[in-house]
């Protein structure tokens, strides 16, 4: 059974932490079987599942549906629920109450983006209340408009030091780890080496304590765009297309359903119908 302490144990032992996103019951079952170190129900689902252009439009109530589906599918995994935009930014009370809803829906921990006084205080209150928190620094999609778009972060020593300072604040406040998104590998290495808690990289090179990627990206299911840091391990889009096209052809040509997929009427009843 994986718990929050698995993260620190893996960092301390030098074993990399392998995390993936999941959004639905059957995918969660597969990740559970593969024994990934943790599953993130990321707000990226706004884009890859719901078709929004960015992550701003997903609500907490929508996120909770996917968190509970993943929790039903991945009974042995450590599940992290991503707090969506504006579900924790208004007040400590709002953030704490909504973090509680994530846990009640089946998450074992939550993830918050960014670092300011409010976030630090919220991390403290959540951890005191028994809600583990994963931080998220570097490129933070919920702050995309103030960051000026999809830009690589931590490109100068000043900026790297600023990210490290934020990461240390999150560590001190009680975060059990911090996601580092979209930054040069050397920047992430420096931050990782100067933190006690593990870092989980996405587009941040091999020197983080672990990696997280969006499952629809690495399995080639989401094809609107593919970030440079994504490696494709399968091509589900093409596989699904092939299956759907064959199904369509077989329906049109009456190959499907065959006898094997059909139910027989009793002979007697068949006769009655004829008469
Ligand atoms: O929403 C998400 O999926 C994420 C990551 C990939 C880190 O935040």
């Amino acid at each position: 059974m994986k718990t929050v302490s698995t993260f620190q144990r893996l960092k301390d032992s030098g074993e990399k932490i392998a995390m993936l996103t999941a959004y639905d019951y059957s995918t969660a079952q597969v990740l559970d079987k593969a024994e990934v170190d943790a599953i993130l129900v990321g707000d990226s689902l706004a884009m890859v599942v719901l078709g929004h252009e960015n992550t701003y439009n997903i609500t907490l109530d929508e996120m909770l549906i996917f968190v509970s589906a993943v929790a039903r599918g991945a009974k042995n995994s450590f599940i992290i629920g991503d707090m969506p935009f504006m579900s924790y930014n208004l007040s400590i009370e709002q953030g704490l109450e909504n973090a509680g809803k994530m846990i009640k829906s089946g998450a074992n921990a939550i993830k918050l983006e960014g670092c300011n006084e409010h976030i630090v205080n919220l991390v403290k209150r959540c951890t005191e209340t028994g809600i583990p928190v994963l931080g998220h620094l570097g490129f933070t999609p919920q702050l995309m408009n103030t960051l000026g778009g999809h830009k690589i972060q931590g490109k100068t020593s000043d900026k790297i030091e600023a990210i490290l300072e934020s990461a240390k604040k999150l560590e001190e406040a009680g975060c059990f780890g911090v996601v580092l998104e979209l930054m040069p590998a050397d920047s992430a290495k420096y931050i990782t080496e100067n933190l006690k808690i593990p870092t989980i990289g996405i587009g941040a090179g091999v020197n983080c304590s672990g990696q997280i990627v969006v499952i629809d990206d690495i399995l080639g299911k989401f094809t609107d765009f593919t970030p440079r840091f994504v490696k494709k391990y399968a091509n589900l889009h093409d596989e699904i297309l092939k299956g759907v096209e064959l199904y369509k052809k077989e329906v049109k040509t009456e190959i499907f359903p065959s006898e094997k997929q059909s139910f027989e009427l009793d002979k007697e009843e068949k006769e009655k119908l004829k008469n």
Side-chain angles (χ1 to χ4, degrees), residues 21 23 40-45 55 82 111 113 136 141 179 181 202 212-214:
T21 67
Y23 315 108
L40 172 72
V41 186
D43 64 355
S44 50
L45 80 84
T55 59
D82 207 0
K111 178 169 83 60
E113 292 189 11
H136 186 160
V179 171
E181 181 163 353
I202 173 162
I212 170 91
V213 276
V214 170

Side-chain angles (χ1 to χ4, degrees), residues 13 34 46 51 66 68 71 85 97 120 126 129 135 144 158 164 170 178 184 188 204 220 228-229 236 245 255 264:
S13 70
F66 294 94
S68 60
F85 182 59
E97 186 179 0
V120 168
C126 283
T129 312
M144 185 174 65
D158 284 1
L164 176 60
L170 293 177
V178 58
R228 207 195 104 192
F229 57 79
L236 289 194
E245 283 175 344
I255 293 173
E264 277 292 301

Side-chain angles (χ1 to χ4, degrees), residues 15-126:
E15 184 180 332
K16 296 287 181 178
I17 300 162
M19 285 180 59
L20 267 175
T21 67
Y23 315 108
D24 66 89
Y25 175 75
S26 55
T27 307
Q29 283 181 313
V30 177
L31 269 54
D32 205 45
K33 207 182 253 183
E35 296 185 13
V36 293
D37 293 312
I39 298 174
L40 172 72
V41 186
D43 64 355
S44 50
L45 80 84
M47 299 165 78
V48 301
V49 178
L50 301 180
H52 291 298
E53 253 180 46
N54 50 50
T55 59
Y56 290 124
N57 286 316
I58 190 148
T59 65
L60 181 77
D61 286 344
E62 287 170 324
M63 286 296 300
L64 297 180
I65 294 170
F66 294 94
V67 168
S68 60
V70 168
R72 285 189 287 273
K75 299 230 162 43
N76 302 306
S77 300
F78 191 78
I79 298 164
I80 302 164
D82 207 0
M83 298 289 284
F85 182 59
M86 294 310 288
S87 69
Y88 57 97
N89 315 77
L90 300 181
S91 66
I92 297 291
E93 286 65 33
Q94 182 223 19
L96 197 55
E97 186 179 0
N98 288 337
K101 288 181 185 173
M102 279 285 185
I103 302 300
K104 285 181 185 181
S105 297
N108 303 107
I110 59 154
K111 178 169 83 60
L112 304 173
E113 292 189 11
C115 180
N116 54 32
E117 210 184 324
H118 168 66
I119 299 289
V120 168
N121 288 332
L122 182 56
V123 170
K124 276 187 198 153
R125 286 295 301 280
C126 283

